């Protein structure tokens, strides 16, 4: 079955597609009807020209003790709620020509609430539309993509200094295109992308932005382990509702050499001269050294280690970059049905409402067990400790503990229909908050795969 994360609950990410006035109940009926309508062919929901669409529909009934993921003092409406979600996903892949592929992914869902009708989306059903195409012309590869989505709840990789947890509905439009040409040891690549993001709630509109990126890369592999490269990037990020931000292009240009020192583990060293133009001021050429290490190794038959680390040293340390980044995961297969994972990461993350980044360090442990007491009964537990340290002066460092537990039972009622019953508890404690943020959630879901 396909992943239903995109439509689970208001606190999760889900998508919205367009505006459909006064048709919400019709969408609900049509999606639910998909559970009983006959299929046109095995594995095929419908055919439009060269596109054969596969489909999956679902119907969810949910109880939440904290439907908007708010702390008690933040709530202005009823926190407990019962709601239903009906959804339909369509996917298609087609070869329009011998060397041209085209993918279409679309989804639509309707959500109705018992205690919080203000959260209903009957007039504007949730959904998404993604188009992707790729063409191979000899040594030239051309790709293009377009995406229209609406997501709810601020993404987990964005640090919000105001720690707002209420529903943040944002529209996102993204367009991109890139070309790549290879011959022998020479590779040339160029790309363009545009991202438009808008937030519905006025409290989040300080993060509305338009971002345009243009890039060019050239690489020549002089030997199997040594490459020469040149890269150029041009980026403009405009926070449209802020008055004190720069609205021009920022440029980065670099030329250098990269060498693979070891194959296992993969150890690389790069030396380059780099210069940056920031807020209209062109900086000088500076020496930059980058060391990167990656490896995946089976320590035993049941224990695997994956790690990556990179360190960047610049001639002039500006003090506003995350120069050391790492990620490590230890995966332990305890038995056929049980595994545990321990991981640690350090990376830069965007700060909401600011052009600055934050250093995000995360330590996490998870445990998963299938067939707990009976077949198809699964248990998952996770603990995460997260440190968000903004690089912008005057912003506090947040240290946060997160706990989640989930018990889920799935059963196939027919060859195409699956029933899933789950209970989930989550809790978040922050040093910047006096109250904990927690939620109990019970979900009954039916998935039908055509």
């Amino acid at each position: 079955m396909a992943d239903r994360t995109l439509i689970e609950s208001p606190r999760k990410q889900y998508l919205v597609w367009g505006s459909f006035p006064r048709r919400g109940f019709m969408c609900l009926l049509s999606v639910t009807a998909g559970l009983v309508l006959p299929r046109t062919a095995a594995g095929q929901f419908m055919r439009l020209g060269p596109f054969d669409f596969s489909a999956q529909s679902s119907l969810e009934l949910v109880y939440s003790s904290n439907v908007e993921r708010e702390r008690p003092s933040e709530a202005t409406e009823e926190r407990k709620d019962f709601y239903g979600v009906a959804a339909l996903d369509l996917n298609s892949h087609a070869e329009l020509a011998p060397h041209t592929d085209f993918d279409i992914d679309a989804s639509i869902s309707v959500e109705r609430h018992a205690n919080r009708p203000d959260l209903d989306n009957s007039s504007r059903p949730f959904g998404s539309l993604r188009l992707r195409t790729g063409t191979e012309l000899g040594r030239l590869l051309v790709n293009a993509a377009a995406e229209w989505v609406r997501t709810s709840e601020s993404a987990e990789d964005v640090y919000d200094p105001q720690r707002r947890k209420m529903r943040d509905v944002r529209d996102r439009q993204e367009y991109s295109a890139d070309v790549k040409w290879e011959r022998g040891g020479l590779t040339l690549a160029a790309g363009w992308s545009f991202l438009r993001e808008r937030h519905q709630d006025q409290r989040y509109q300080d993060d509305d932005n338009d971002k345009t990126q243009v890039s060019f890369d050239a690489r020549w592999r002089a030997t199997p382990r040594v490459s020469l490269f040149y890269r150029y990037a041009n980026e403009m990020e405009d926070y449209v509702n802020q008055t004190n931000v720069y609205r021009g292009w920022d440029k980065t240009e670099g030329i250098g050499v990269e060498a693979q020192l070891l194959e296992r583990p993969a150890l690389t060293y790069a030396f380059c001269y780099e210069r940056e133009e920031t807020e209209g001021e062109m900086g000088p050429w500076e020496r930059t050294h980058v060391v990167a290490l990656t490896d995946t190794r089976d320590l035993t038959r049941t224990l695997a280690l994956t790690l990556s680390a990179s360190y960047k040293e610049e001639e002039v340390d500006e003090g506003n970059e995350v120069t050391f980044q790492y990620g490590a995961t230890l995966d332990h297969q305890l038995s056929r049905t049980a595994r545990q994972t321990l991981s640690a990461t350090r990376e830069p993350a965007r700060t909401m409402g600011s052009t600055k980044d934050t250093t995000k360090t995360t330590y996490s442990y998870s445990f998963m067990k299938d067939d707990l007491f009976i077949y198809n009964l699964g248990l998952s537990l996770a603990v995460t400790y997260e440190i968000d340290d903004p690089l912008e002066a005057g912003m506090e460092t947040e240290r946060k503990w997160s706990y989640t537990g989930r018990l889920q039972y799935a059963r196939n009622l027919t060859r195409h229909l699956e029933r899933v019953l789950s209970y989930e508890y989550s809790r978040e404690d922050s040093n910047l908050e006096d109250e904990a943020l927690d939620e109990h959630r019970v979900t009954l879901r039916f998935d039908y795969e055509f």
Side-chain angles (χ1 to χ4, degrees):
M1 294 293 180
D3 185 6
R4 304 294 334 138
T5 304
L6 294 178
I7 58 163
E8 282 189 357
S9 76
R11 77 174 185 85
K12 296 286 187 180
Q13 280 198 341
Y14 50 83
L15 307 171
V16 184
W17 177 24
S19 176
F20 304 87
R22 303 180 184 275
R23 295 183 182 178
F25 74 98
M26 292 300 294
C27 296
L28 179 62
L29 290 176
S30 62
V31 170
T32 307
L35 298 173
V36 295
L37 288 177
R39 294 170 292 121
T40 58
Q44 178 184 325
F45 174 66
M46 65 178 178
R47 182 177 180 87
L48 294 176
F51 297 98
D52 289 325
F53 285 89
S54 61
Q56 176 179 295
S57 60
S58 69
L59 180 63
E60 275 187 302
L61 301 175
V62 184
Y63 162 77
S64 173
S65 65
N66 188 0
V67 69
E68 287 204 270
R69 291 283 291 168
E70 302 166 303
R71 291 178 171 83
S73 62
E74 297 173 336
T76 57
E77 302 286 346
E78 176 68 40
R79 300 175 73 206
K80 298 180 181 179
D81 197 10
F82 296 88
Y83 61 94
V85 182
L88 176 67
D89 289 343
L90 297 174
N91 308 99
S92 180
H93 172 81
E95 294 186 3
L96 301 184
H99 301 288
T100 299
D101 295 336
F102 200 95
D103 293 285
I104 301 176
D105 298 310
S107 66
I108 186 170
S109 65
V110 178
E111 186 172 313
R112 296 299 300 269
H113 291 253
N115 298 335
R116 294 291 306 275
D118 57 302
L119 300 180
D120 290 350
N121 72 327
S122 300
S123 61
R124 301 188 69 185
F126 305 144
S128 67
L129 177 62
R130 297 181 177 92
L131 308 175
R132 293 181 294 270
T133 183
T135 301
E136 183 178 351
L137 302 172
R139 300 181 184 276
L140 186 67
L141 297 177
V142 181
N143 297 291
E147 181 178 78
W148 300 270
V149 300
R150 174 175 292 177
T151 58
S152 179
E153 182 71 12
S154 56
E156 293 182 359
D157 60 350
V158 177
Y159 172 65
D160 186 351
Q162 300 184 38
R163 298 174 298 283
R164 297 166 289 191
K165 287 294 179 181
M166 287 174 286
R167 176 176 294 199
D168 170 24
V169 178
R170 73 181 74 141
D171 292 300
R172 190 177 82 245
Q173 302 171 22
E174 187 169 3
Y175 310 91
S176 64
D178 62 80
V179 296
K180 183 178 181 180
W181 181 85
E182 288 184 285
R183 182 169 184 175
L186 180 63
T187 302
L188 303 177
W192 167 86
S193 67
F194 174 77
L195 173 65
R196 183 180 188 272
E197 185 176 271
R198 296 293 185 269
H199 298 253
Q200 278 199 343
D201 196 313
Q202 188 174 0
R203 289 166 293 187
Y204 295 95
Q205 289 178 357
D206 53 358
D207 209 40
D208 288 357
N209 70 93
D210 295 329
K211 178 187 286 188
T212 305
Q213 292 179 310
V214 179
S215 65
F216 173 77
D217 291 271
R219 179 176 291 266
W220 177 55
R221 189 175 60 187
T223 73
R225 292 199 175 191
V226 178
S227 299
L228 304 177
F229 64 86
Y230 169 80
R231 57 176 176 243
Y232 173 84
N234 213 358
E235 177 180 304
M236 179 171 61
E237 188 168 17
D238 181 12
Y239 286 82
V240 296
N241 293 323
Q242 298 186 33
T243 58
N244 58 344
V245 295
Y246 176 68
R247 288 185 164 82
W249 290 91
D250 289 334
K251 303 176 183 178
T252 303
E253 188 176 14
I255 184 170
V257 58
E258 181 179 82
Q260 184 178 15
L261 305 181
L262 294 174
E263 289 186 0
R264 186 75 183 274
L267 177 64
T268 60
Y269 166 74
F271 170 80
C272 72
Y273 277 94
E274 192 174 68
R275 67 175 179 178
E276 298 179 352
E277 180 180 348
T278 304
E279 297 187 1
E281 297 185 5
M282 177 65 77
W285 287 96
E286 300 176 358
R287 294 187 302 272
T288 301
H289 306 267
V290 179
V291 179
L293 175 70
T294 59
D295 193 26
T296 299
R297 191 176 296 270
D298 292 329
L299 304 180
T300 68
R301 286 176 48 248
T302 60
L303 190 63
L305 174 66
T306 301
L307 59 87
S308 63
S310 66
Y311 177 74
K312 181 178 181 181
E313 181 182 351
E314 298 181 327
E315 183 177 356
V316 178
D317 185 5
E318 299 177 357
N320 61 352
E321 293 186 357
V322 182
T323 57
F324 178 54
Q325 302 177 39
Y326 62 79
T329 301
L330 193 63
D331 195 330
H332 187 197
Q333 189 74 39
L334 296 169
S335 67
R336 181 184 63 83
T337 61
R339 72 188 309 164
Q340 59 182 346
T341 303
L342 180 66
S343 65
T345 59
R346 183 177 191 263
E347 59 187 352
R350 186 164 60 88
T351 302
M352 179 169 282
S354 171
T355 58
K356 303 293 184 180
D357 283 341
T358 174
T359 301
K360 186 174 184 178
T361 307
T362 306
Y363 305 96
S364 62
Y365 170 80
S366 64
F367 172 80
M368 291 162 284
K369 177 73 170 71
D370 296 328
D371 302 333
L372 184 59
F373 302 117
I374 57 177
Y375 288 120
N376 301 322
L377 178 63
L379 172 69
S380 61
L381 304 171
V383 180
T384 301
Y385 177 59
E386 187 176 293
I387 304 170
D388 285 309
D389 188 10
L391 300 177
E392 189 172 2
M395 298 177 65
E396 296 183 81
T397 298
E398 182 177 26
R399 294 175 172 82
K400 181 171 60 180
W401 284 93
S402 300
Y403 312 88
T404 59
R406 183 177 183 136
L407 193 64
Q408 178 173 292
Y409 177 66
R411 182 182 179 184
N412 288 323
L413 303 180
T414 69
R415 191 162 64 94
H416 299 281
L417 180 62
E418 181 183 51
R419 182 187 64 197
V420 180
L421 178 62
S422 65
Y423 164 76
E424 183 175 352
Y425 173 74
S426 60
R427 179 185 175 92
E428 177 186 298
D429 292 302
S430 168
N431 65 306
L432 302 182
E433 294 288 349
D434 296 327
E435 300 172 310
L437 190 155
D438 64 351
E439 181 193 18
H440 298 270
R441 184 153 52 98
V442 179
T443 303
L444 174 61
R445 188 179 77 237
F446 295 90
D447 292 329
Y448 187 88
E449 187 169 345
F450 293 83

